[in-house]
Structure formats: C-alpha cells, structure tokens
Amino acid sequence: MAETFSQVVTEAVADIEEHGYDSEERIAFWLGKIRAAAEGAMLTPEQMQAKLRDALVSIYRQMVEKKGIVSMHPGIGRFTIEQVRPQLRAELDRRIMASANLIKLNRKQAIEKTLQRFSGWSTSIPKGGSKNVKTNDVKKDIRKALQRLPFEERRVLVDQGHKFTSSLSETLAQDGGAIAGAWHSNWRQPNYDYREDHKERDRLVYAVRGCWALERGLMKPSKHGYTDDITKPAEEPFCRCKYRWIYNLRDLPRDMLTAKGRDELSKARKVTNAA
Ligand SMILES: [Zn+2]
C-alpha cells in the first residue's frame, strides 16, 4: 500500500533531523516524495469534476427545470424561460469550466505551499542534523496547506453555487426584458456576515441600462442609478444578495416613471378597468 502523505512528511522530517541539509539531492528526493504523496491524497481530477458537475447541475435543475428561478422574476412572461433556456444551459457549462479551473489552481497552490515549507525548513538545518527540532510543530506546519484544502474546496463550491444562481438569474433578466432590479440583502438573517454597503442597497431599485422602457422614454433611473453602476449580486466572495427583477412599468417605484410612462400606465389601467 502506498504511504500516506502524513507518513511521508514524518519520514522526511526525521531524515533531515538526522542528516541536516547535506546535499541538494537529499532535499530533492523528499520534495519528490512529498509531491507524489500529496497528489495521491487528493481526489483525482475526474472525481473532482464529477462532484462539481453534480453540485451545479442540481442548482440548474432546481432553478430552471423546476422553475425555482421564477420567484425572483415575478411578472415574467410564461414562455420566456423556455425561450432563454439555451442561454441558461450555456451558463451551466461556463460555470462548470470556471469552477474546475479554480479548484485546479487551489490544488496547485496547496502543493506548492507544502513544498515551499518543507524546502524552507529543511535547508535551514545544518549538515549533520539537529537535536533541537520541534518535530511536531514542523510537521504540522508542512501539512497545514493540504489539510485546509477540503475546507477551501467546500468554500469554493458554495461560492461558485451562489455565483451560478446569480448569473442564471441575470441572464434571464437580460434576455427576458427586465427593466429594473430591486436589490435584496440577507442582512436580517442571523449569523450572516453581510457587507455594510450591501445592506444599504437592500430594496433599492436599479434601472437596467438600455432596456425597452428607457428607450421608449417611459422610465428613468432613480438617484441610485443603474445595475451596472454597482457590483453584481454574488460577484464579491460569499455575497448571497439577489435581485428581484422588475418587468412591468406598474411595478416600478413612482419616481422612476416619466410623465410619458405615467400616462401610458393610466391608459393601460383604464383599458383593464373597462374590460
Ligand atoms: Zn451581498
């Protein structure tokens, strides 16, 4: 059976403790063994990819196939989701790719850090070894980056999940003709580490630049401006904010309607009342 990462680190530290930095070859030998053991301790790229895919596909199913996304798009046309589905599907593939790259990068960094720590420590031990090595501290330090990795990867998965949910919603809003978005922050939720400036955005309504209602002179942005004036929901790490998208003039705050917009709205109301 292959040695575990932890065993290899223990042997490497004992060997350097005994011999010290007496040759490049000794260090290179252990760096090679530590790298191989570290790689062996991780899920294979295929396993990781499968895990990622499962997590993101289940969000896609919930949001698109089961139409969970509708809760943040009240008033959207019945067939719009069907029409936008290919773009939503493309978002899934993009997000799987981006997440896989992030995870690869994290692993590479964890291995590099591990090797750097060993290299830095081992080359500081004089030839002939040392009796003063606090081996437990040294081993702990060398193992740290790799031990943190599963935790980091879970965080990546969770954050990528939020980013994916947000980009699905934004794609639907853009292609479905949303005219504004009302920011929604979870700051009231206990234990949620919210950003102060995101809390301040809560319930503010931002106009979608270039939307049909602006083009037709029916609305104008409020003093808060446009959605592209500020960061997007979930753009910053671990942000769980959302937009509740607005599709109809009647759902806009009064101050975002122009005179022409108010006119059009009251005409539409008369028609509805007459019917
Ligand atoms: Zn936020």
Side-chain angles (χ1 to χ4, degrees), residues 247-267:
Y247 288 84
N248 301 301
L249 290 178
R250 64 172 179 273
D251 297 327
L252 281 177
R254 231 17 222 172
D255 65 335
M256 287 178 73
L257 290 170
T258 59
K260 195 178 165 194
R262 281 195 296 272
D263 215 38
E264 176 127 336
L265 204 55
S266 62
K267 262 189 248 158

Side-chain angles (χ1 to χ4, degrees), residues 177-226:
I179 58 178
W183 190 275
H184 174 86
S185 156
N186 291 306
W187 66 273
R188 286 179 196 81
Q189 204 171 302
N191 304 321
Y192 176 53
D193 185 18
Y194 59 84
R195 288 176 170 79
E196 202 55 46
D197 58 328
H198 289 199
K199 177 188 171 187
E200 280 161 20
R201 290 176 191 171
D202 197 30
R203 295 183 183 175
L204 300 184
V205 177
Y206 298 87
V208 173
R209 201 184 298 276
C211 72
W212 61 267
L214 279 167
E215 303 273 286
R216 287 181 48 202
L218 302 172
M219 67 175 278
K220 56 187 190 230
S222 72
K223 65 177 181 188
H224 306 299
Y226 296 93

Side-chain angles (χ1 to χ4, degrees), residues 240-253:
R240 290 201 281 115
C241 298
K242 293 172 186 172
Y243 274 123
R244 201 160 185 274
W245 294 98
I246 294 172
Y247 288 84
N248 301 301
L249 290 178
R250 64 172 179 273
D251 297 327
L252 281 177

